[in-house]
Amino acid sequence: MVMDNALASDRNLQLAVFVERARNQKLPLNELFQQAENMNAAGQSAQTADLYKAWIAYNDSNPLLHLVYFNYSVTLRQLGDIPGSINALNACLKLEPRFGHANINLGRAYEDAGLNAQAIQQWRSFIEATAELTPERMSHRLMTLQHIGRVMEGAGLQEEAETALWQAIEMRPDKPEAGQHWLSLRQHQCKWPIVVPSEHVTKRQLLDAMSPLPLGCYADDPLFQLAKAYRYLKTLVGRPDLTGFTPKQPKQKTGSGQRLRIGYVSSDLRDHAVGFALSEVLELHDKSRVEIFAYYCGEARTNDGTQERMKKVVDTWRDISTIDDAQAARLIASDEIDILLDVNGFTKHARTRIFAYRPAPVIAAFCGYPGSMASPFHQYLIADDYIVPPENELYYTEKVLRIPCNQPVDRKRLIAEKPTRAQAGLPEDAFVFACFNGMQKITASGFARWMKILSATPGSVLWLLTGSDAVNQRLRQSATACGVAADRIIFAPKAPNAQHLARIGVADLFLDTFPYGAHSTASDAITMGLPVLTLPGKSFASRFCASIVSAAGIPELICSTPDDYVNKAVAYARDPASLAAVRASLQSQRETSALRDMPAMVRRLEELCWQMQGECERGEIPTPDMRNLDVYYEVGAEIVAEHIEFEDDKSYRQRYLDKLEKWNSYEPLRPDARLWADAKV
């Protein structure tokens, strides 16, 4: 205590000295900034703010005063003083109106204060003031347009966000950030075609900008998705500084009686599809064999029943959302985790860089992301036999391990009382086709198939989750263009989860999307007794729903081609008895199917964790094969640009082989674990 008091006294004395020099105008800017940096590094942000305030008061004629105001605003923001930061930024911009960083930060400060309209207006004013571009102003203008698009997207202003982002794309089409959001926005708005080049932006540049998850909605091309993940990860993670991080060596636990430490890392351990799926998994873990750590990296939650339920059953809950990736990795390493599960992949709020530090001897991807991470540090992928049959393992850099069904379910979820069709906004006597997938999964060709089905089944309706008014109207117009009355498309309003689950069962047949099919949405439908018709492809995302349907015991609803999908949907609508038989089969197997046998699923998951542990102890940990992925990306970009929606495996692989052979004739390729493994080299 005496030492702490002495240290505080020394710091106050030092601050007083610098304040006095500032009062006498004898503290030059370089010393001011250096001292402020030193004080911030020592955790003295409050004293730093006092120093800046004093310097500003006594040096108001300095020609670089705006820089001091800017740094002062940053310090105030670090202290959580948003109003003070806004005042400092306004003072800065009075002195230097075109100071790019200050304009951007002022908008961010307004956004953080919940004043989104003022944030957007601030950024728009800056855009208008910087019409004459210099390279520096172009950089700031680009960043500002991206911020405008991001905030508008978050506020549900999709059209306005799209416009702002397109301006950013045309300014720098080689920069992927704006394009990635623009493409996702178009998918969520069902604006077809999704990829629309212009005089200034090529189709290839837009495909380069597309991130892995939207690509899953765009094309059933697992090789290009693998290569895209590889390329995306290099940009997202790069090569982090591993100084101070040493590879974790496995502890010898096999046969020792010690518990295996398993860590789940996710931003979705909350009221979310992934959180619902994992709730019972965490409850069923055998605590005599495994010790469970949960690392939550999502937004702060209050009154979140799912998260509270998880906290009660894990051995250790850690919130890592407020610490950086390196700190989180050190924390995980200090917990001596044996098996670290990445439950995010490339999804929202993912902390992929944490895994790059290799904080555990074994890292595996599970549950959160439908595809390969294509990373050098994810050694395993947990899936199932249907999603990744042995012949498809070449689409993954990880060693594939399998559980009975990759979709965990929570058998304890609350379900409200089932409504009548009238209460759900549906006609009583119509055949109701339904799809509760997100709008971004609906494609032009998929919608056209739905319209064929409606045209062949007079009196039927299609029940979709609502989008914005503009999106709903766009889909109704598309229906009309296909000769289907607009009022045959019915939109279900948003509802609390328990009420949504209850209403699912009033439909007759769920129509899955392609190429990104239903995941938890399919298990929800089957839980409520609603049969799901699906068309599997080659990729993880396109096969997930068929895995669920198979695990539920109704494989007859898995289609072989797009035409088969249309024909089966029409046949079930025309023959209610055949559909009733499917429903009866679904109901009779409800509690015995692999889909709902959660104890067996969790036992298998634990067996796989022990298998990974054993392989690691024996030095048999798999090494991801990253060879030729840059070439697969170039080849895949050409193939995806052709936009062939559906083809058989043989034709698909042959197209890649033909292009790889041409590449090899120019620049010989090394053999890899994919298509070039058996090629003549």
Side-chain angles (χ1 to χ4, degrees), residues 17 34 43 57 62 82 94 122 178 230 277 293 298 354 357-358 381 449 453 472 490 532 552 627 650 680:
V17 170
Q34 184 60 58
N62 190 292
I82 296 177
K94 270 191 176 181
Q122 167 62 33
Y230 172 70
F293 288 69
I354 290 173
Y357 293 105
R358 294 174 170 84
L381 172 72
R449 279 192 288 276
I453 292 167
N472 295 350
I490 299 173
V532 177
R627 289 172 294 175
K650 184 178 179 180
K680 294 178 181 179

Side-chain angles (χ1 to χ4, degrees), residues 360-513:
V362 175
I363 296 173
F366 172 59
C367 192
Y369 173 71
S372 175
M373 292 299 293
S375 92
F377 40 85
H378 286 77
Q379 302 125 338
Y380 296 92
L381 172 72
I382 298 173
D384 63 44
D385 278 323
Y386 201 101
I387 293 174
V388 187
E391 64 271 20
N392 283 9
E393 289 182 7
L394 76 161
Y395 303 143
Y396 304 85
T397 57
E398 304 90 345
K399 179 176 179 177
V400 181
L401 302 178
R402 295 171 176 85
I403 53 180
C405 178
N406 208 62
Q407 177 61 57
V409 298
D410 176 17
R411 299 170 299 175
K412 301 177 183 179
R413 282 170 73 185
L414 293 176
I415 301 172
E417 184 179 348
K418 184 177 179 179
T420 64
R421 279 199 166 180
Q423 289 170 331
L426 296 168
E428 291 288 351
D429 55 351
F431 188 95
V432 177
F433 295 104
C435 182
F436 302 114
N437 292 349
M439 288 286 187
Q440 74 277 11
K441 295 183 181 182
I442 303 174
T443 64
S445 52
F447 191 80
R449 279 192 288 276
W450 289 348
M451 295 306 99
K452 281 185 182 179
I453 292 167
L454 291 185
S455 295
T457 54
S460 64
V461 297
L462 177 61
W463 194 25
L464 305 175
L465 276 183
T466 189
S468 68
D469 290 343
V471 175
N472 295 350
Q473 182 61 24
R474 183 173 295 115
L475 290 178
R476 285 186 168 130
Q477 288 171 348
S478 296
T480 302
C482 293
V484 174
D487 60 4
R488 293 178 68 188
I489 312 295
I490 299 173
F491 294 98
K494 289 181 172 56
N497 191 256
Q499 281 71 35
H500 174 61
L501 286 173
R503 69 185 176 183
I504 288 174
V506 304
D508 292 299
L509 182 64
F510 187 109
L511 297 178
D512 192 24
T513 47

Side-chain angles (χ1 to χ4, degrees), residues 552-600:
I554 49 171
E556 61 270 31
L557 270 75
I558 299 174
C559 305
S560 58
T561 65
D563 286 343
D564 185 37
Y565 174 93
V566 171
N567 293 338
K568 280 189 174 181
V570 172
Y572 280 123
R574 290 177 175 174
D575 183 7
S578 65
L579 189 58
V582 173
R583 278 186 175 270
S585 174
L586 195 58
Q587 184 60 33
S588 68
Q589 302 176 78
R590 189 176 190 272
E591 298 307 324
T592 59
S593 68
L595 179 62
R596 292 181 65 82
D597 190 351
M598 295 305 297

Side-chain angles (χ1 to χ4, degrees), residues 41-360:
Q44 299 173 261
S45 295
Q47 290 91 333
T48 304
D50 288 340
L51 178 57
Y52 277 134
K53 183 167 62 174
W55 197 96
I56 289 167
Y58 302 129
N59 296 265
D60 61 354
S61 61
N62 190 292
L64 296 177
L65 181 62
H66 65 285
L67 295 178
V68 184
Y69 268 119
F70 179 78
N71 283 12
Y72 181 39
S73 75
V74 172
T75 300
L76 292 172
R77 187 68 188 86
Q78 291 169 345
L79 291 168
D81 184 359
I82 296 177
S85 181
I86 290 172
N87 286 334
L89 286 166
N90 276 318
C92 171
L93 290 171
K94 270 191 176 181
L95 297 167
E96 189 60 45
R98 293 192 175 188
F99 186 14
H101 288 300
N103 276 282
I104 292 167
N105 281 15
L106 181 55
R108 291 297 299 272
Y110 283 136
E111 180 191 359
D112 290 341
L115 304 172
N116 286 352
Q118 284 179 251
I120 292 169
Q121 182 55 47
Q122 167 62 33
W123 289 325
R124 278 181 165 164
S125 297
F126 177 63
I127 290 291
E128 292 168 4
T130 55
E132 296 178 8
L133 291 179
T134 63
E136 182 181 19
R137 286 179 183 168
M138 176 181 283
S139 174
H140 292 151
R141 186 180 177 90
L142 180 67
M143 191 182 303
T144 303
L145 284 166
Q146 290 171 357
H147 281 316
I148 291 173
R150 177 181 55 78
V151 173
M152 285 183 161
E153 181 183 3
L157 302 171
Q158 295 177 321
E159 294 278 356
E160 296 86 346
E162 187 183 337
T163 299
L165 290 168
W166 183 252
Q167 290 177 325
I169 293 168
E170 290 210 309
M171 186 181 299
R172 287 295 303 272
D174 58 314
K175 295 284 189 180
E177 293 85 357
Q180 154 182 334
H181 286 282
W182 184 81
L183 291 162
S184 178
L185 267 172
R186 288 183 67 81
Q187 287 180 325
H188 281 84
Q189 295 176 89
C190 299
K191 282 194 170 181
W192 308 314
I194 301 300
V195 177
V196 183
S198 74
E199 181 182 352
H200 306 292
V201 185
T202 66
K203 189 171 188 177
R204 171 59 189 269
Q205 286 172 322
L206 290 172
L207 286 175
D208 286 346
M210 189 175 285
S211 55
L213 211 56
L215 178 61
C217 298
Y218 185 74
D220 180 36
D221 190 329
L223 282 169
F224 187 58
Q225 286 165 7
L226 176 69
K228 168 67 77 172
Y230 172 70
R231 181 176 169 130
Y232 184 80
L233 183 118
K234 287 197 294 184
T235 302
L236 181 70
V237 174
R239 287 182 174 271
D241 182 4
L242 300 182
T243 304
F245 288 90
T246 56
K248 296 290 291 183
Q249 297 303 311
K251 292 183 177 295
Q252 297 298 311
K253 291 193 171 180
T254 303
S256 69
Q258 297 181 68
R259 291 197 295 171
L260 194 65
R261 289 192 166 193
I262 302 173
Y264 288 80
V265 181
S266 178
S267 63
D268 299 325
L269 302 177
R270 55 186 176 86
D271 284 342
H272 180 276
V274 171
F276 299 145
L278 287 179
S279 294
E280 194 171 357
V281 171
L282 296 179
E283 290 174 341
L284 289 172
H285 272 304
D286 182 352
K287 296 302 183 64
S288 69
R289 302 183 70 225
V290 297
E291 187 176 358
I292 303 300
F293 288 69
Y295 299 94
Y296 178 66
C297 56
E299 297 173 338
R301 307 291 292 180
T302 55
N303 301 318
D304 189 307
T306 302
Q307 189 167 100
E308 291 306 312
R309 181 177 163 191
M310 290 179 168
K311 286 180 177 180
K312 289 177 182 177
V313 297
V314 299
D315 294 278
T316 303
W317 176 277
R318 300 206 188 281
D319 189 331
I320 59 171
S321 58
T322 59
I323 60 177
D324 65 30
D325 296 329
Q327 291 171 320
R330 288 191 178 93
L331 177 62
I332 292 168
S334 71
D335 284 335
E336 298 185 326
I337 298 300
D338 300 301
I339 310 294
L340 191 62
L341 301 178
D342 180 356
V343 191
N344 264 126
F346 298 124
T347 59
K348 191 174 182 180
H349 299 309
R351 299 283 295 277
T352 311
R353 186 184 292 264
I354 290 173
F355 302 95
Y357 293 105
R358 294 174 170 84

